[in-house]
Amino acid sequence: MRDMRRFRAEIELPVQRFGEARVYWDQQGRWVLIKDWLLPPGLNRETSHVVILISEHYGYGAPLGDCFIDPELKALNPATGRYEEIPHYFIRYPYVEMKVGSPEKWFKARWRYLCLHQQAGADMAINILNYLHQLYKFLAEPFRDWGSTFASYHRTQ
Amino acid sequence: MAEIVKDGYILEIEDIPYGQPVTGREIQERVSRQTGEAVPGVPYVQRDGRLRHLRAEEPIILRPGDRLGFTAPFETA
């Protein structure tokens, strides 16, 4: 069960940031929609709508890990100089279990799933705005090998 | 000296001068030293509106107008 008091308090942050007219959410706290979210440079579009699915145990340490964005986004690959398909950006929701709707419904509504999971215990406040910050940074460099980039800071003692 | 946005404040990091090579790990260590707390995640440089994250041993020469920040780890699949 989500901590709805936490959710209702937290939703004020994106409302303040983006304005009431651009932020929508489910009364059960299952999702948040931000309209016309500004994308980083290097993509073939300047904005996208974003839906963040809110974890079932959000507010009790569960991180955020699922979002949908507009279809047909491509990113400029600096290695090739061409706009290419974004990694981890799925036409259909790729997992078996889905808590909100069905993969078919999301597909028909013209959403694409982007697989970006916050890490629990990553020493960063888990909240909707921080998730958006991470999404922005991923999309700023979508072809980066993020796993090895993060791992390069793990010292071998 | 380089600037970083941390907790909504713009800080000048004295140990990171412009015009000299500095690695991602050095940025992380020097920011941690000056702020007095470990900075989690990977440093990035915002230059001309674009973000460039740095691996631990990757050098960069910072210049005025660059803005540093950090990205907490995430997973992709």
Side-chain angles (χ1 to χ4, degrees), chain B:
Chain B
M1 57 194 100
E3 291 182 343
I4 183 169
V5 178
K6 189 170 187 302
D7 300 331
Y9 295 93
I10 298 174
L11 305 175
E12 291 185 336
I13 306 300
E14 297 165 0
D15 282 352
I16 307 179
Y18 295 128
Q20 296 177 25
V22 62
T23 66
R25 190 188 305 283
E26 287 169 338
I27 290 172
Q28 187 190 54
E29 289 175 348
R30 293 175 191 182
V31 171
S32 296
R33 191 160 57 229
Q34 183 163 326
T35 59
E37 59 185 16
V39 182
V42 170
Y44 64 84
V45 178
Q46 184 172 5
R47 176 178 290 173
D48 301 328
R50 291 181 181 266
L51 302 186
R52 175 183 161 191
H53 288 79
L54 299 170
R55 297 170 66 90
E57 308 310 327
E58 184 177 348
I60 189 168
I61 297 176
L62 297 171
R63 59 193 195 206
D66 288 348
R67 184 65 58 82
L68 296 172
F70 286 85
T71 296
F74 54 75
E75 294 173 350
T76 52

Side-chain angles (χ1 to χ4, degrees), chain A residues 68 89-95 103-104 107-108 111-113:
Chain A
F68 288 86
Y89 177 51
F90 295 87
I91 292 173
R92 288 170 194 266
Y93 184 77
Y95 302 114
E104 194 62 22
F107 171 72
K108 286 183 174 172
W111 290 102
R112 277 183 76 164
Y113 178 76

Side-chain angles (χ1 to χ4, degrees), chain A residues 5-157:
Chain A
R5 284 193 307 177
R6 151 83 182 259
F7 177 81
R8 281 191 285 267
E10 193 182 308
I11 202 70
E12 293 300 321
L13 294 171
V15 168
Q16 287 172 17
R17 173 71 64 88
F18 305 111
E20 279 184 27
R22 290 171 56 199
V23 182
Y24 299 80
W25 61 94
D26 174 35
Q27 289 304 313
Q28 297 170 63
R30 296 177 302 174
W31 54 262
V32 176
L33 162 65
I34 293 107
K35 288 193 163 184
D36 299 318
W37 181 64
L38 188 64
L39 294 164
L43 297 174
N44 62 335
R45 299 249 308 271
E46 291 186 356
T47 63
S48 170
H49 301 328
V50 183
V51 174
I52 300 169
L53 301 187
I54 307 300
S55 321
E56 272 197 284
H57 300 289
Y58 192 68
Y60 299 99
L64 296 169
D66 299 288
C67 72
F68 288 86
I69 57 178
D70 285 354
E72 298 159 6
L73 291 181
K74 289 183 185 291
L76 183 65
N77 186 340
T80 64
R82 291 197 298 263
Y83 282 92
E84 297 179 2
E85 187 75 5
I86 296 169
H88 314 292
Y89 177 51
F90 295 87
I91 292 173
R92 288 170 194 266
Y93 184 77
Y95 302 114
V96 174
E97 189 180 0
M98 189 163 199
K99 303 290 186 187
V100 182
S102 68
E104 194 62 22
K105 282 186 177 176
W106 286 93
F107 171 72
K108 286 183 174 172
R110 292 184 50 75
W111 290 102
R112 277 183 76 164
Y113 178 76
L114 199 143
C115 188
L116 190 151
H117 306 303
Q118 287 184 323
Q119 289 182 354
D123 204 10
M124 180 197 68
I126 290 171
N127 63 50
I128 294 164
L129 282 186
N130 275 343
Y131 186 81
L132 285 170
H133 289 155
Q134 288 186 304
L135 179 61
Y136 185 93
K137 290 166 180 175
F138 168 79
L139 289 171
E141 293 189 277
F143 302 105
R144 168 172 289 280
D145 182 345
W146 288 97
S148 72
T149 299
F150 291 127
S152 72
Y153 287 83
H154 298 163
R155 281 188 184 281
T156 50
Q157 300 292 336

